[in-house]
Amino acid sequence: MISKYNVVMKTDNSIYLIGRIRERANNFITSELEQLGLTGIVPSHGDILATLYQYGELTMTEIADKIHRDRSTVTTLINKLTKLGFVATKKNPKDSRSNLVYLTQKGRDIEPQFREIGEKIFEKEYVGISEEERELFLNILNKIFKNL
C-alpha cells in the first residue's frame, strides 16, 4: 500500500534560476545606472521609461497594460519618476478622469544612456548562445509566462 505521504513531487530549479537571473540583471542595471550618475532610477523604472520612449504619452492604465503590471504599482513608480523629474502628468483631453504620463526633457535626455544599458545587458545575456537557442528560449519563457 502506498501512503499518501509518499507522493513524489515533480520539481526542478527553473523558477529559482529565473529569480536569480532577475536578481543578477537588476544588480547589473543598478551598477550601470550608478556609473552613469543616474541616481534614483531603479530597474523597475525601466519598463515605464522604455514604454514612454516607444509610445510617447500614455495613461497609467495603458502603461500598466503594456508592461503587465498592476495599476497601483505603476502609479507608485510613476510618482517616483515624477519626483525625480523624468516624467510628468497632465489631464487627458479625451477623458478628464485620467492623466497622461509623458517624458520631461530630463527624461528624454537620458534615453541614449538607457539604450546603452539595454544593449550591454542584451550582449551579456546572450554570450555563447546562438540565434536559434535564443528564439527557442524566448518561446519557452513565453509559454511558461502564459501557463502561470
Side-chain angles (χ1 to χ4, degrees):
M1 181 172 157
I2 297 177
S3 166
K4 66 180 178 180
Y5 300 107
N6 290 337
V7 176
V8 176
M9 290 179 32
K10 290 183 179 180
T11 63
D12 63 22
N13 66 343
S14 59
I15 300 300
Y16 169 81
L17 286 172
I18 290 167
R20 299 300 59 82
I21 291 167
R22 181 173 188 251
E23 183 181 311
R24 286 184 178 187
N26 284 344
N27 289 341
F28 177 82
I29 293 166
T30 300
S31 174
E32 291 292 314
L33 289 167
E34 289 171 2
Q35 287 179 28
L36 292 171
L38 297 173
T39 57
I41 297 179
V42 295
S44 56
H45 292 131
D47 287 338
I48 292 170
L49 291 171
T51 300
L52 292 173
Y53 291 138
Q54 182 176 357
Y55 295 99
E57 54 188 38
L58 295 168
T59 66
M60 291 206 201
T61 301
E62 289 171 326
I63 294 169
D65 289 345
K66 289 189 183 309
I67 67 171
H68 308 288
R69 302 286 291 268
D70 63 71
R71 194 177 183 285
S72 63
T73 300
V74 169
T75 300
T76 300
L77 293 169
I78 288 173
N79 287 341
K80 175 71 180 214
L81 286 169
T82 301
K83 287 179 185 170
L84 293 170
F86 294 105
V87 302
T89 58
K90 64 182 179 183
K91 281 288 178 200
N92 185 350
K94 296 178 184 173
D95 182 355
S96 62
R97 297 170 296 164
S98 69
N99 290 322
L100 291 172
V101 180
Y102 63 95
L103 293 160
T104 62
Q105 186 60 50
K106 183 177 178 180
R108 288 189 300 276
D109 287 346
I110 65 165
E111 185 176 4
Q113 293 96 332
F114 183 84
R115 291 194 184 283
E116 179 184 329
I117 293 170
E119 288 171 11
K120 281 183 178 180
I121 198 159
F122 181 84
E123 289 172 13
K124 189 174 186 72
E125 176 182 9
Y126 290 110
V127 169
I129 298 172
S130 71
E131 181 69 25
E132 294 81 22
E133 289 172 319
R134 186 178 73 79
E135 287 181 25
L136 178 61
F137 173 67
L138 291 173
N139 285 335
I140 292 168
L141 282 179
N142 278 314
K143 286 180 181 180
I144 292 170
F145 179 75
K146 288 175 186 173
N147 289 345
L148 295 176

